Amino acid sequence: MLRTIRRWEAGETRPDDFYRPLVAKTYGTVTAAIFGPEPGRRDSEAELLSVAGMDTLEIVTRLRTSNVDDATLDGLRVTVDRLCSEYPYLPPETLLVEGRQWLRRITGLLDRRTTLAQHREILALSGMLALLVGCVEYDANDRNSEATRRAALTLGEESGAREISGWAHEMRAWFSLTKGDYRGVIAAAEAGEAVAPNHSVAVQLAGQRAKAWARLGDRRQTEIALDQGRALLETLPYPDNLDHHFVVDPAKFDFYTMDCYRLLTTEDRLAKTCASEVLRAGTEANGTERSPMRNAEARVTLGVVAAREGDIEQAVAMGNRALEGNRKSLPSLLMVSQELAETLVGRSAEHPAVVEYLDRLRELRGAA
């Protein structure tokens, strides 16, 4: 057995279907987060581009015609997927403008003569774009975000797209989490899980429940929620497009776990391990950050652990690094940064670096 494990570690062989889930569970994560997709999986981005075969100008030109054909809908699907995939790194102002433009174009098709299937497809595409626009609005503290979320929920219900409805409930859970309404998080998550129990959004809903229970100090319910999310994620196929904002990729489970273990103060070692893994998965080999917002929260986690260990300079350095990214979700970043601030104040409130960090947080909160 030891020889077998050494061959796994050296990359000479790959554990089989029996051992891979056991190894992942041992480390508190899911199989695909450690072992990745099955060998030979096709490149999803190339597949997406090959489906439409049209550029933006041709799609817009087709939208101006009186009829809606399948080729136009194919082009719109690829466009919506592209926009959702640009969420992690595209400047929010740019993404918001482009997202709203395409939302107006697509919803304008609802007045055209279409088949029932095409009408439902247009409703679903509109719902997905409304989800994206609502997320970007909330990142920027735009008050329209709740109205946009409700519009997405309605579009999901009208189209019969349960996953869109589930994501609309997930957005409500996220909004509630950043506002400190932890019971509201649990209620929203349960509503979403009831609508889309077998979709990938249910994994993220379980993650939001776990985060809420962790902040309420209930370790048992936190672990239950994490276990439920982990079990569902193990049954889902590996995603075709890891960059899509409304796809739960396996690496994201470490992100949920990291947040919970940071709050369960007896689990600093696990929180640090998860944070390091989030940074590894969210950074390209050349140093480019593919998941800047997740990476920011991972650095806050490392800062909290450093503060608990008495390394105030390292804690502040991590906190400041988290605030430096160009792509931010301000509500989420302010929430976790405040948790770091409280940890720092509890250990060395008069330290000059801590005072400077607190001032920086106040400025950011005032600007928001």
Side-chain angles (χ1 to χ4, degrees):
M1 190 66 197
L2 286 174
R3 286 194 296 270
T4 299
I5 291 173
R6 291 192 183 102
R7 286 197 294 270
W8 293 347
E9 292 175 338
E12 296 173 1
T13 60
R14 180 183 175 97
D16 61 21
D17 292 341
F18 176 78
Y19 282 110
R20 286 201 299 272
L22 295 179
V23 172
K25 189 172 183 179
T26 300
Y27 288 99
T29 186
V30 291
T31 304
I34 293 181
F35 299 104
E38 291 299 320
R41 203 171 62 91
R42 294 177 62 187
D43 180 68
S44 60
E45 186 174 353
E47 286 182 320
L48 281 176
L49 291 174
S50 67
V51 168
M54 291 185 285
D55 59 18
T56 298
L57 178 60
E58 186 175 352
I59 295 172
V60 172
T61 301
R62 283 174 172 268
L63 290 177
R64 290 173 178 164
T65 63
S66 57
N67 296 323
V68 178
D69 57 19
D70 290 340
T72 302
L73 288 178
D74 284 342
L76 291 176
R77 290 187 199 103
V78 173
T79 298
V80 172
D81 282 346
R82 174 182 62 81
L83 290 169
C84 290
S85 300
E86 290 175 340
Y87 173 83
Y89 53 85
L90 198 68
E93 301 82 5
T94 303
L95 186 56
L96 192 56
V97 169
E98 192 171 356
R100 285 171 173 170
Q101 286 176 343
W102 280 105
L103 186 56
R104 284 193 293 270
R105 289 167 181 161
I106 295 175
T107 53
L109 296 177
L110 294 171
D111 296 329
R112 306 274 186 91
R113 181 175 297 177
T114 58
T115 66
L116 179 59
Q118 288 175 332
H119 187 78
R120 286 180 175 171
E121 177 77 9
I122 293 166
L123 285 171
L125 289 171
S126 300
M128 184 63 71
L129 262 186
L131 290 172
L132 176 66
V133 169
C135 286
V136 180
E137 287 174 340
Y138 194 69
D139 285 342
N141 275 338
D142 189 321
R143 294 180 181 178
N144 292 318
S145 57
E146 174 58 19
T148 306
R149 183 197 71 80
R150 292 185 181 184
L153 179 61
T154 300
L155 289 165
E157 291 170 346
E158 291 179 354
S159 66
R162 288 178 172 269
E163 190 157 14
I164 290 175
S165 300
W167 279 109
H169 287 294
E170 191 279 335
M171 286 174 64
R172 178 186 156 209
W174 171 36
F175 295 176
S176 298
L177 183 72
T178 58
K179 293 174 181 175
D181 179 12
Y182 305 133
R183 295 291 177 181
V185 176
I186 296 166
E190 290 174 346
E193 289 168 324
V195 170
N198 300 315
H199 292 274
S200 65
V201 63
V203 177
Q204 185 141 324
L205 288 163
Q208 297 289 24
R209 277 197 294 117
K211 291 181 179 184
W213 283 118
R215 285 168 172 81
L216 288 169
D218 193 323
R219 183 191 181 94
R220 180 173 179 275
Q221 291 298 330
T222 300
E223 295 285 2
I224 288 173
L226 287 174
D227 284 344
Q228 289 172 344
R230 184 185 297 112
L232 176 58
L233 188 53
E234 285 284 15
T235 68
L236 299 176
Y238 196 86
D240 288 329
N241 181 6
L242 293 179
D243 291 329
H244 197 294
H245 183 56
F246 300 105
V247 166
V248 179
D249 64 282
K252 200 168 187 180
F253 198 82
D254 290 328
F255 177 69
Y256 308 144
T257 307
M258 173 195 77
D259 184 270
C260 295
Y261 286 155
R262 183 183 68 245
L263 293 158
L264 301 174
T265 56
T266 59
E267 299 293 355
D268 283 349
R269 182 181 60 82
L270 286 172
K272 187 174 181 178
T273 299
C274 289
S276 299
E277 183 60 24
V278 169
L279 285 171
R280 186 200 63 78
T283 307
E284 303 286 0
N286 62 3
T288 302
E289 297 199 357
R290 60 176 299 169
S291 303
M293 290 178 282
R294 291 190 210 174
N295 287 0
E297 294 194 34
R299 291 187 176 100
V300 171
T301 296
L302 293 175
V304 170
V305 173
R308 289 174 181 160
E309 293 174 346
D311 191 345
I312 302 301
E313 287 78 9
Q314 175 68 4
V316 173
M318 287 289 104
N320 282 323
R321 178 79 185 277
L323 301 177
E324 290 170 358
N326 293 325
R327 188 66 178 92
K328 298 182 181 74
S329 174
L330 278 177
S332 296
L333 182 57
L334 287 172
M335 176 186 71
V336 296
S337 295
Q338 182 59 36
E339 292 168 358
L340 171 58
E342 291 171 0
T343 305
L344 289 168
V345 168
R347 282 157 175 78
S348 187
E350 304 302 322
H351 194 291
V354 173
V355 173
E356 184 178 347
Y357 177 69
L358 295 177
D359 288 341
R360 188 175 182 184
L361 269 187
R362 279 190 286 268
E363 290 176 5
L364 184 60
R365 191 174 294 107

